Amino acid sequence: MNHVIRAVRADEWAEVRELRLVALQDPAASIAFLDTYEQASQRPDSFWQERAAGVVEGGGAQLFVAEAPDGSWSGTVGLLIEPAGLTDFFGTTIERPQGHLVGVFVRPGQRGGGLIDGLVEAALDWAWSLEEPRLERVRLHVHESNSRARAVYRRLGFEPTGVLVPFAPDPSAKEQEMAVVRPAAG
């Protein structure tokens, strides 16, 4: 792999926007993301500036990118910190400090080369490095029809938790929660 996996910088909002819009045009976008290209493309620059700054300054999230040698971005993954006691997107109280993997995307022409492994590894390394809150696990949600993504997440160590939640754009469909627990100290 000739890409560098690194955290996004606050001044890279235009690149964040560009890759997100590419992701939202992917054939699997309708079951992979809770956003649409139409909605995202209408957002002002200030939205993207705040989004990029928010994953750098607040410590409550981090966005990682796979940067090619020419400086282009080939993939991204975000990790949100969910402290115990807060209510999540689904209205459930978070029982333990955890991370939430979101916005996973690799450009179609770059898939199969290990970028997803590097991106998820960077996100997990960051999650496990946090001292406050000390995260007990990292979870994600994957659409019941997205078997390709489920297989990748299983390969990366995520296991189904048994929790199913309604898929926001179509509540008749479900998303499966998968999680990986903090590795034992070695």
Side-chain angles (χ1 to χ4, degrees), residues 101-164:
L101 204 65
V102 297
V104 179
F105 177 72
V106 173
R107 290 180 189 265
Q110 298 294 325
R111 293 177 185 159
L115 287 182
I116 190 70
D117 300 54
L119 286 162
V120 171
E121 181 180 326
L124 292 175
D125 286 349
W126 180 70
W128 308 144
S129 76
L130 297 174
E131 294 182 22
E132 189 56 41
R134 181 175 163 81
L135 304 183
E136 295 183 20
R137 71 179 192 154
V138 171
R139 69 176 178 161
L140 57 83
H141 292 90
V142 60
H143 193 280
E144 62 190 350
S145 298
N146 199 342
S147 57
R148 184 187 77 195
R150 267 197 325 276
V152 168
Y153 296 136
R154 272 188 174 275
R155 183 175 56 75
L156 294 173
F158 288 81
E159 294 292 332
T161 65
V163 174
L164 295 175

Side-chain angles (χ1 to χ4, degrees), residues 70-82:
D70 66 2
S72 65
W73 288 9
S74 299
T76 188
V77 64
L79 186 79
L80 308 175
I81 303 304
E82 298 178 322

